[in-house]
Amino acid sequence: MITLRDIYKVFQTKDGPVRAVDGIDLRINEGEIFGVIGYSGAGKSTLIRMVNMLERPTQGEVTVAGRNLSQLHEKELRKARQEIGMIFQHFNLLWSRTVRENIAFPLEIAGVKKPERDRRVDELIKLVGLAGREESYPSQLSGGQKQRVGIARALANNPKVLLCDEATSALDPKTTDAILDLLVDINEKLGLTIILITHEMHVIRKICHQVAVMEAGKVVEQGPVREVFRKPKEAMTKEFVKQITEPEETADAISHMLAESPEGKVVQLTFVGEETERPLISQLIRQFDIDVNIVQGKITKIQAGSYGTLFIALDGKPEQIEAAIAFIRSKQVEVEVISHVE
């Protein structure tokens, strides 16, 4: 559906050239929710703006639905952009227009006649849950309602692709979850391909099928969300995964246990899918002469199913601890022995 091949973007500044995107290759399948995560300055917003050619790449090709956008002239590109909707962090609504008029705006630009415009706007208002607010102005809406208007407007021309640039960053956690649920609903009902830019691993965990991790203009890790959570390879990816799996109080508890019991071990267990439902801890206690202390545990939902992490402290004879760890690994559970806390 979307292919980025050997993409570079170099900005010329007073201090010399800045390489914002540095040799990226990505393939995004039709109907997929694809997340791109990275901290500020990683190049992710520049990358997403090249998908619809709001930024033209310095080098490389962008192909959407079989069409190479890099080779299109401006008139052809304007037509191609009608198949690519975009929503923004700060909504970008027209403040002098009502909800209905904001949603209708791209249809006016496209020359759609008024009866057809009205019918389409009514459909979209219902789809995004704004019934009853049609005549309200943006200043009369909450942040979540404004973003719903932005989503409806982006869907007006029946696009095949929806680009979300930090679309939930300005919202509180509860509203963020509601907007993410709406995006999943749209993805399932319309079969829309969604690319989502964020710096929050919670967003990736909740709705994305695939994720690419960006750092300094490069994709440093990429794969199905389930696998990236289960076996993060790069330091940057591990840092993001810790946002979900290892809150600050857990790190404090681990440090305390390592200091109190230098002969024991603290381990992190990672479960995926059916593994989260197995009585592993009770099996450990029955089969091995060790003490097991649960530090912290959490099971969360990702698009591919359940994902769980459990931090436990094992105390006893070294050979018994090693045998217990080997037993855990035999149950297809990922095990990481934690020797220190960063």
Side-chain angles (χ1 to χ4, degrees):
M1 179 61 177
I2 300 171
T3 304
L4 307 180
R5 186 177 293 111
D6 198 30
I7 295 292
Y8 290 82
K9 181 64 181 182
V10 179
F11 292 103
Q12 300 299 329
T13 71
K14 292 179 180 179
D15 298 321
V18 174
R19 190 173 287 188
V21 175
D22 191 2
I24 285 180
D25 293 287
L26 286 179
R27 179 173 178 80
I28 299 165
N29 297 320
E30 186 173 358
E32 196 167 61
I33 303 179
F34 192 101
V36 180
I37 189 167
Y39 291 122
S40 296
K44 56 191 188 297
S45 290
T46 301
L47 180 69
I48 199 173
R49 287 170 63 84
M50 287 192 284
V51 174
N52 60 2
M53 290 287 145
L54 289 178
E55 290 283 356
R56 283 191 175 268
T58 305
Q59 177 185 317
E61 293 184 353
V62 177
T63 303
V64 178
R67 194 182 317 188
N68 187 344
L69 303 189
S70 318
Q71 296 179 347
L72 298 184
H73 296 298
E74 200 58 40
K75 185 177 179 181
E76 298 170 308
L77 187 56
R78 281 198 298 272
K79 187 173 181 181
R81 282 193 185 121
Q82 291 183 5
E83 296 187 342
I84 307 173
M86 190 166 188
I87 58 176
F88 305 88
Q89 178 180 358
H90 297 297
F91 320 124
N92 287 18
L93 302 181
L94 299 167
W95 295 89
S96 61
R97 286 181 170 236
T98 64
V99 166
R100 174 176 289 280
E101 291 166 343
N102 264 282
I103 298 170
F105 185 65
L107 297 169
E108 293 175 27
I109 298 296
V112 177
K113 296 186 184 304
K114 190 175 188 306
E116 176 67 13
R117 281 204 315 266
D118 290 344
R119 183 191 64 77
R120 179 63 178 153
V121 170
D122 287 340
E123 286 177 358
L124 291 167
I125 285 172
K126 184 177 179 181
L127 177 67
V128 302
L130 284 173
R133 303 310 302 264
E134 297 92 332
E135 304 307 321
S136 299
Y137 288 90
S139 61
Q140 299 169 315
L141 303 177
S142 68
Q145 289 170 334
K146 290 172 189 171
Q147 196 56 283
R148 288 173 186 270
V149 177
I151 292 170
R153 182 183 60 185
L155 298 176
N157 282 313
N158 289 300
K160 296 176 181 177
V161 176
L162 181 64
L163 308 180
C164 308
D165 189 5
E166 297 278 10
T168 60
S169 294
L171 306 176
D172 63 75
K174 185 176 179 180
T175 305
T176 290
D177 282 346
I179 293 297
L180 294 178
D181 288 340
L182 175 59
L183 290 175
V184 170
D185 187 49
I186 289 168
N187 169 256
E188 292 174 350
K189 285 181 178 176
L190 307 181
L192 205 62
T193 304
I194 299 176
I195 304 178
L196 189 148
I197 298 294
T198 185
H199 62 272
E200 300 171 296
M201 202 63 178
H202 161 72
V203 172
I204 300 293
R205 171 193 64 80
K206 187 171 175 66
I207 72 168
C208 293
H209 302 107
Q210 298 271 337
V211 61
V213 182
M214 283 191 71
E215 183 178 15
K218 296 179 180 290
V219 170
V220 296
E221 190 162 347
Q222 179 189 345
V225 169
R226 173 172 168 161
E227 292 306 312
V228 170
F229 265 79
R230 185 173 185 171
K231 294 182 181 179
K233 297 180 179 67
E234 300 297 323
M236 178 62 67
T237 312
K238 291 176 180 178
E239 193 172 319
F240 279 120
V241 170
K242 276 188 176 182
Q243 292 180 4
I244 303 296
T245 62
E246 192 174 326
E248 189 174 330
E249 60 269 22
T250 302
D252 292 341
I254 291 170
S255 296
H256 177 73
M257 286 191 169
L258 288 172
E260 289 290 312
S261 182
E263 297 301 316
K265 291 186 184 296
V266 176
V267 297
Q268 176 182 346
L269 312 183
T270 303
F271 310 79
V272 178
E274 294 178 0
E275 298 165 7
T276 59
E277 300 174 10
R278 294 176 183 168
L280 182 63
I281 300 303
S282 60
Q283 290 177 337
L284 280 180
I285 294 170
R286 284 199 302 266
Q287 294 190 33
F288 301 94
D289 185 20
I290 57 174
D291 292 324
V292 180
N293 191 356
I294 296 175
V295 181
Q296 188 258 356
K298 185 177 184 182
I299 295 176
T300 56
K301 294 290 184 181
I302 58 176
Q303 279 285 51
S306 297
Y307 170 87
T309 55
L310 183 65
F311 292 87
I312 60 174
L314 307 176
D315 205 1
K317 294 180 179 180
E319 61 270 20
Q320 285 290 305
I321 292 175
E322 291 304 324
I325 291 172
F327 172 79
I328 296 169
R329 289 195 170 112
S330 75
K331 298 298 182 181
Q332 308 304 310
V333 174
E334 295 294 322
V335 181
E336 180 185 354
V337 177
I338 300 174
S339 57
H340 67 282
V341 179
E342 295 178 358

